Amino acid sequence: AQSVTQLDSQVPVFEEAPVELRCNYSSSVSVYLFWYVQYPNQGLQLLLKYLSGSTLVKGINGFEAEFNKSQTSFHLRKPSVHISDTAEYFCAVSLRNSGNTPLVFGKGTRLSVIA
Amino acid sequence: DTGVSQDPRHKITKRGQNVTFRCDPISEHNRLYWYRQTLGQGPEFLTYFQNEAQLEKSRLLSDRFSAERPKGSFSTLEIQRTEQGDSAMYLCASSSRSGRLETQYFGPGTRLLVL
């Protein structure tokens, strides 16, 4: 079975500062990796995904994430955050080479950007 | 592409009543997923369909939960004899197999409150 651990439940950061949201996963087989964002009272929106190839993945809204196989991590970063980035961020995995399977999510990290 | 839609967006019901939620996927998406999200947690997979076939339903929370996708287009999720513990956000996602990986697109969710 797969599991996802988001190490920080809440991350406060000042506007225009950099941020890193941490994600570690556990799986006995290869997985695809995702980051989703959820704004208040809305569904989830895909930020970025890692399939294969370059370990640095760029997504929307200036976010990027780096896959580290040896550390089983997929941390999300942004060099300069805006107030509008305040939201809940979820890391997720799905099984590779299995005909695609449902996503397994972490518990989420609430990013609060302070003016 | 109008996105995934869900109806209703909010539902308040009394314990013991039955409720039904509807999900309309992105047109031509052949896979449809249901997830449940409780406060402070990431989405939890419930069930999914490929066209009209329900491929996985063992993760439905109890026999009070059922889902259908009769014509391979929209889907309904029914909860019978609701309990207060059923209060949660119910999310629907759809995807289309394209190459090696599908990307799941989420709807805005239906927030259920059981009194």
Side-chain angles (χ1 to χ4, degrees):
Chain A
Q2 303 76 45
S3 66
V4 176
T5 302
Q6 292 184 242
L7 299 163
D8 305 297
S9 59
Q10 297 186 58
V11 173
V13 62
F14 286 108
E15 192 174 18
E16 298 183 5
V19 69
E20 179 180 81
L21 306 183
R22 296 181 293 168
C23 172
N24 287 86
Y25 68 93
S26 173
S27 176
S28 57
V29 298
S30 296
V31 296
Y32 297 121
L33 295 151
F34 305 81
W35 275 98
Y36 281 85
V37 61
Q38 186 175 35
Y39 298 102
N41 300 314
Q42 295 187 26
L44 279 74
Q45 179 182 4
L46 181 67
L47 273 178
L48 48 79
K49 59 189 176 188
Y50 173 75
L51 309 182
S52 63
S54 173
T55 58
L56 184 63
V57 180
K58 293 189 182 299
I60 63 171
N61 300 342
F63 284 94
E64 62 182 31
E66 186 158 18
F67 170 60
N68 187 318
K69 186 174 181 179
S70 62
Q71 296 185 5
T72 60
S73 68
F74 190 53
H75 300 333
L76 181 71
R77 301 187 184 100
K78 186 169 182 177
S80 176
V81 295
H82 300 146
I83 294 288
S84 60
D85 293 323
T86 294
E88 190 92 19
Y89 291 80
F90 293 96
C91 182
V93 302
S94 69
L95 292 182
R96 183 188 290 268
N97 299 327
S98 65
N100 299 300
T101 56
L103 294 167
V104 175
F105 285 89
K107 291 187 176 182
T109 297
R110 181 172 299 277
L111 175 64
S112 299
V113 180
I114 306 161
Chain B
D1 181 351
T2 57
V4 178
S5 62
Q6 293 187 244
D7 184 71
R9 293 291 307 277
H10 302 90
K11 178 72 176 178
I12 301 174
T13 190
K14 293 183 179 179
R15 189 176 54 186
Q17 298 294 306
N18 299 342
V19 295
T20 300
F21 308 141
R22 176 178 170 127
C23 172
D24 286 88
I26 293 171
S27 58
E28 300 180 357
H29 276 192
N30 59 355
R31 287 200 171 189
L32 187 149
Y33 298 78
W34 285 100
Y35 292 83
R36 184 180 80 151
Q37 185 180 17
T38 54
L39 202 61
Q41 302 293 319
E44 173 190 19
F45 166 72
L46 296 178
T47 186
Y48 80 112
F49 297 84
Q50 179 160 305
N51 300 313
E52 63 275 11
Q54 192 170 12
L55 298 186
E56 173 62 63
K57 58 181 179 180
S58 65
R59 307 288 288 277
L60 286 168
L61 301 164
S62 78
D63 58 8
R64 298 184 297 104
F65 287 71
S66 62
E68 292 183 337
R69 194 182 183 197
K71 298 183 179 180
S73 57
F74 73 92
S75 174
T76 58
L77 177 70
E78 182 182 16
I79 309 174
Q80 296 182 328
R81 305 181 303 281
T82 53
E83 302 173 356
Q84 289 183 325
D86 296 332
S87 296
M89 173 82 89
Y90 291 85
L91 295 165
C92 175
S94 70
S95 68
S96 177
R97 185 74 179 273
S98 176
R100 292 176 294 145
L101 173 70
E102 63 187 66
T103 296
Q104 294 182 33
Y105 295 89
F106 283 81
T110 294
R111 186 173 294 280
L112 173 66
L113 177 61
V114 181
L115 300 176

